[in-house]
Amino acid sequence: GPNFVSPRQPANRGHGVCLQPFPGGPFGRDKFAGTLEAWKKGMWEPCQASKPLTFALALGFAAPLVRFSGLDQGLICVLEGRQTDLILRAARSLYGAPDACPPAIETIARKALPKLGWAFNDTLLVIDEALRFGAKPDRQSRKLSRWAVGGFDVGEPAQDLGGVPGGLRYSDWCVTVLATSYPTDDADAYCDRQVLRLPVSGPIGRDIFDLVDQEKDNRNAAISTLYSAARATIVENFGLVGYEFARRLCTIIEAPDEYVPRGVEDFVEAYADDDTGDEVVLARQFGLVAFAGCFAARLGFAPWSEEHCESVCADLFEAARRRLAGVADENVSGFDGLVGERC
């Protein structure tokens, strides 16, 4: 509901939004270190060089805004590929320890799913499902879609669902998910409008740092430097950014259920060719991530400029739109294209 849950901030009410303390949060959410400024400074250059890294972090900023966005579903992104570890750890650093990883959804008993939903309500859940089991993409998509937006009976005591503060009640959860899977040949799963499936790995010689433009030898050295900088940053600075961003939102946004959808629709009007059907659903998903990432930059929380974030989201939306339309482009591959032999 109107609760942003924090492991250390006192309750802060404003514009119908409440930030609650969460003592002893599970899955590393009670852990934090470093400073916001050090995290932002250290992640700046890696994000300028990487579309997938920028998008994953912007997805984390979108998490507390999903329920105000007007989307009729959760926000779920699945990265396809084997070179996703740095992206996942960086995304985890927004709300907790970068190495803390909850069990994969597929391995959790049905009765335990509500506890996981509460633990990551209105924040970002990052799970490396590709590492943990060989899930079939269609099965994974269905389970993630069903679970990410769920709820309990109204008024059910939250303390009965995992030891959260007494007296705090809520009726539903809305979890934003960043997960992984191996590449799939299943076009239906790949184009499922409920889940954004984005391939990370490209041809030999490419990496997540897809915006590095140098000769091969210099490129490899540049990528190594970027990896090292990002890893060192999130090891020493984590668990601060997401909650500080949510806390700021509590105090500055009036009528978030009106303000956020307007930002999403601005993206749709600017970049979508069709204002109906699956394309507009896709545009709204990318639009929410773009809006959140740009808004975070405007408030001083993001390691990028507004122009960089919007450009990344627009490029990835255009590629996904082509993919959805079944238009193959042999000149574009990997994360840039979201296209290839599979559709």
Side-chain angles (χ1 to χ4, degrees), residues 175-253:
V175 178
T176 298
V177 181
L178 179 66
T180 57
S181 76
Y182 292 124
T184 174
D185 293 325
D186 186 342
D188 291 336
Y190 199 72
C191 299
D192 181 2
R193 77 174 197 167
Q194 299 291 327
V195 178
L196 299 176
R197 304 190 67 88
L198 308 178
V200 174
S201 301
I204 295 175
R206 292 180 62 90
D207 206 319
I208 67 169
F209 293 107
D210 51 341
L211 298 178
V212 175
D213 184 20
Q214 297 184 23
E215 295 296 331
K216 183 175 180 180
D217 291 342
N218 290 336
R219 187 177 190 279
N220 290 340
I223 287 173
S224 179
T225 300
L226 291 166
Y227 261 114
S228 298
R231 285 172 174 164
T233 297
I234 61 178
V235 164
E236 297 178 357
N237 305 274
F238 56 82
L240 294 166
V241 184
Y243 293 112
E244 291 299 320
F245 177 64
R247 186 162 71 97
R248 185 73 181 277
L249 293 178
C250 291
T251 62
I252 67 172
I253 295 184

Side-chain angles (χ1 to χ4, degrees), residues 307-331:
E307 293 77 14
H308 172 76
C309 184
E310 181 170 350
S311 174
V312 165
C313 292
D315 287 351
L316 297 180
F317 166 69
E318 174 58 24
R321 186 186 65 80
R322 294 198 307 268
R323 178 69 178 188
L324 188 65
V327 178
D329 182 356
E330 295 180 355
N331 295 321

Side-chain angles (χ1 to χ4, degrees), residues 253-299:
I253 295 184
E254 292 191 48
D257 55 345
E258 297 178 6
Y259 184 71
V260 177
R262 282 202 303 269
V264 173
E265 292 305 316
D266 286 345
F267 183 92
V268 174
E269 292 177 8
Y271 296 105
D273 292 335
D274 185 4
D275 60 358
T276 60
D278 288 344
E279 182 174 329
V280 76
V281 172
L282 191 69
R284 285 179 177 138
Q285 291 173 317
F286 278 95
L288 177 57
V289 177
F291 170 79
C294 291
F295 197 54
R298 198 177 312 156
L299 297 180

Side-chain angles (χ1 to χ4, degrees), residues 105 108-118 143 147 152 173:
I105 297 296
I108 298 175
R110 180 181 180 86
K111 64 181 180 181
L113 286 175
K115 183 176 180 179
L116 190 65
W118 165 253
K143 189 147 191 175
W147 171 79
F152 309 113
W173 71 79

Side-chain angles (χ1 to χ4, degrees), residues 94-163:
L94 284 167
Y95 292 97
D99 294 323
C101 187
I105 297 296
E106 190 71 21
T107 64
I108 298 175
R110 180 181 180 86
K111 64 181 180 181
L113 286 175
K115 183 176 180 179
L116 190 65
W118 165 253
F120 290 90
N121 190 28
D122 290 320
T123 63
L124 181 66
L125 169 63
V126 182
I127 43 178
D128 194 353
E129 294 198 300
L131 176 66
R132 294 169 179 268
F133 68 99
K136 292 184 177 180
D138 58 343
R139 182 179 180 184
Q140 178 194 48
S141 296
R142 287 195 301 270
K143 189 147 191 175
L144 284 172
S145 299
R146 287 197 304 267
W147 171 79
V149 178
F152 309 113
D153 293 335
V154 175
E156 185 170 350
Q159 62 264 32
D160 293 342
L161 299 167

